[in-house]
Amino acid sequence: AFRVLERAAEMVPMAIGPRSPRAIMAQMAIERKDSARAITELEKLLEHENTDLEAARLLARELEATKAPAAKLMSAYERIAQLDPFDANNHTKFGRLKMQAGDNPTAAREFRAAIASGTLDPAATHSDLAETYLAMGDKAQARRAILAAIEVAPGYPRAQDLLLKVVGQ
């Protein structure tokens, strides 16, 4: 089946949607547990389909499963954030990658978006935001984020440690 679909994809590379050759091959690859092929097909599909949220989420999931480089994951998370600005989990993941990469202003924006979108773990997200502010040297904002984390979860050890760190500086 792949040969026929590959030929169809060559003939009509701009075909999009869930019934396009690339989408079908990606789905088949996922069923076969062939992440590399699924990633390739999803990336090619998304070259022509900029608004396919499901394909973007599938790509991110496959990239996570294969422990892909951070740059590829960031690109997938950024696309999802643009297509679904209310996906708090995606904002948190994207923010953590940006924080690890040293892009603290973008990380802070993503953590604020996750909080505004209703993150499932507000104490951790507020703590992530506090660490980002600390890395940027903004102790006042870091203190506010830490206090918000402690307000949500008074016994959260990470927030308590961060508070001690800010007060001790």
Side-chain angles (χ1 to χ4, degrees):
F2 273 109
R3 284 189 206 148
V4 173
L5 291 167
E6 286 169 344
R7 181 78 173 118
E10 287 174 19
M11 292 173 64
V12 190
M14 73 293 287
I16 57 174
R19 297 203 184 278
S20 68
R22 297 264 181 230
I24 294 169
M25 286 190 289
Q27 214 41 55
M28 289 170 57
I30 289 169
E31 289 170 9
R32 289 180 163 184
K33 308 237 186 278
D34 183 356
S35 291
R37 178 70 184 254
I39 290 168
T40 299
E41 297 304 334
L42 289 165
E43 286 175 337
K44 288 180 180 178
L45 174 65
L46 289 168
E47 285 175 8
H48 297 284
E49 174 61 278
N50 295 324
T51 60
D52 189 341
L53 179 58
E54 188 56 35
R57 284 191 171 133
L58 280 173
L59 177 60
R61 189 179 75 210
E62 291 298 315
L63 289 170
E64 288 169 358
T66 61
K67 309 240 186 292
K72 278 190 154 203
L73 273 170
M74 277 192 263
S75 177
Y77 292 153
E78 185 170 23
R79 182 184 300 254
I80 294 167
Q82 291 169 352
L83 295 172
D84 184 4
F86 300 106
D87 185 341
N89 187 42
N90 182 70
H91 284 296
T92 301
K93 289 178 182 179
F94 189 33
R96 286 181 180 154
L97 281 176
K98 285 295 190 176
M99 188 169 63
Q100 290 170 0
D103 185 355
N104 292 313
T106 303
R109 181 195 71 209
E110 292 302 315
F111 293 136
R112 287 190 307 267
I115 292 164
S117 299
T119 180
L120 294 177
D121 191 355
T125 307
H126 280 290
S127 296
D128 289 336
L129 181 59
E131 285 183 355
T132 303
Y133 283 135
L134 280 174
M136 293 189 312
D138 190 342
K139 292 180 192 176
Q141 289 285 11
R143 187 176 303 117
R144 283 187 198 98
I146 294 165
L147 292 175
I150 290 174
E151 184 178 320
V152 172
Y156 188 52
R158 183 172 164 216
Q160 292 172 348
D161 292 342
L162 285 168
L163 183 60
L164 291 174
K165 187 175 181 179
V166 168
V167 171
Q169 288 184 346

